[in-house]
Amino acid sequence: MIPFSDEQKTLRAKTRRFVYDELMPLEVQTELAEGKLDDATRKRLSARVLELELNAISLPRAFGGRGFSWVEQTIVNEEMGKATNALGWLMWDPAIVLKYATPDQIARYVRPSCEGTRGDCYAITEPAHGSDASVMDTTATRDGDDWILNGEKWHLTSGDVADYAVVQAATDANIGDGNTLFFMDLNSAGIEIIDMPKYMHNLIVEHPRVRLNNVRVPHANVLGAIGRGLELSKEWFRHERVMIAARCCGAAARLIDEATDFAKTRVQFGEPIANYQAIQFMLADSLTELYAARLLTYDIAHASDEAKTEEEIKRVHAKSSMVKLLASEMAGRVADRAVQIFGGRGYMREFAAERFFRELRVERIWEGTSEIQRIIIANSLYKRGVEAHVGDF
Ligand SMILES: Cc1cc2nc3c(=O)[nH]c(=O)nc-3n(C[C@H](O)[C@H](O)[C@H](O)COP(=O)(O)OP(=O)(O)OC[C@H]3O[C@@H](n4cnc5c(N)ncnc54)[C@H](O)[C@@H]3O)c2cc1C
């Protein structure tokens, strides 16, 4: 792994302090309140994030973001991933595709999102379209200077705290990939929140289901261009997959740390359980798997910083799937072993092992399931061969 520069080490130390000192102490109360965080705490922590300059890290400085490299973003996300209940998301980072915004959209949406006065969510998934995001039932039909959106979107992460969504809708199938992204204000006429379903985890945000009934959106709200919706969503997926891998590595590191400390102090049959091989093997496997996942995560982050040509970006796309697959599956196994090492305590909500056991499960589902990552990897292997994926560019 390429060694961190002094600046990167400082960034990691700063983020880590914030996570350990200011976010982790809120975990248990947030969990027991089913993810609810009071407004005063949210505001206080948002102010701290601005003070620490950890907001909008992936968007360009010219747009109001921090313009971090992929490696720097990975460093921050790795630390963020150590807090349960998605408390790390208090370091808000609007979707990377906002970099395609027009100057008018930057003023209305992107800059306020970077500053934290507006919030985004991303609406792709529908009742009939999940893994296959290439065809949408949600339609956008041109009407003079506006577009009329109709459809139903599921699992809108942060939809409860956002005030606009980036919506992927079907447009003319003959133009581009047949999909277009729109900025859609969530207070627009015709938007109905169907419900706020309960999920396995208790995160600080919800995932509402939303119906769009003749929602009018100005043409000025088209993000990118007509017919580039799927292409831009794929770019968002690629970015998210690397950051998911980073957060999974952070979570696994914390789990291994805590399980090791517990094993060294928990005495059964007259000895610390750390002395028993059954426990050692679980810790050793977890550490070894984390090492591999972390190396690949930083490797792909570095490759993403370097990728310039279309072919390099395609390779990075496939490798991001490899890293997301490896890291999310690794974190699931590590969490399972941590629960086992903590014994009965591992089944209690006040312990991070229990919370991560539930929370990490979705990492194998969202931004493409493990099966979908394997399909992407296999397709790229057939096209480009082994060397393109495991060798240098
Ligand atoms: C907590 C949570 C938050 C989410 N947040 C968002 C969000 O903010 N915005 C958004 O748009 N979406 C969001 N999603 C949706 C998420 O991205 C989808 O759930 C995911 O892509 C899978 O789609 P699906 O649920 O429709 O499952 P399906 O596509 O119906 O898949 C069901 C099963 O079939 C498998 N499968 C499907 N196709 C194949 C194939 N070709 N070969 C082999 N197996 C296959 C899948 O791997 C899976 O195991 C969220 C989901 C969850 C759970």
Side-chain angles (χ1 to χ4, degrees), residues 209-247:
R209 260 192 289 237
V210 174
R211 193 171 293 131
L212 315 183
N213 300 306
N214 293 317
V215 179
R216 195 168 277 277
V217 168
H219 182 68
N221 281 19
V222 168
L223 176 58
I226 306 297
R228 284 188 72 200
L230 182 62
E231 178 198 335
L232 265 50
S233 288
K234 281 185 176 171
E235 184 167 342
W236 178 67
F237 285 141
R238 179 165 75 249
H239 181 255
E240 280 298 303
R241 284 167 189 162
V242 176
M243 299 310 146
I244 284 172
R247 293 195 292 270

Side-chain angles (χ1 to χ4, degrees), residues 162-239:
D163 71 335
Y164 71 93
V166 173
V167 180
Q168 184 179 319
T171 43
D172 187 340
N174 297 312
I175 301 179
D177 56 45
N179 290 273
T180 302
L181 299 183
F182 296 88
F183 286 100
M184 184 186 76
D185 289 336
L186 288 171
N187 63 2
S188 309
I191 296 179
E192 182 195 344
I193 308 277
I194 306 170
D195 61 358
M196 292 281 183
K198 289 290 167 203
Y199 288 74
M200 195 184 269
H201 53 216
N202 290 310
L203 304 190
I204 58 164
V205 296
E206 309 246 24
H207 318 277
R209 260 192 289 237
V210 174
R211 193 171 293 131
L212 315 183
N213 300 306
N214 293 317
V215 179
R216 195 168 277 277
V217 168
H219 182 68
N221 281 19
V222 168
L223 176 58
I226 306 297
R228 284 188 72 200
L230 182 62
E231 178 198 335
L232 265 50
S233 288
K234 281 185 176 171
E235 184 167 342
W236 178 67
F237 285 141
R238 179 165 75 249
H239 181 255

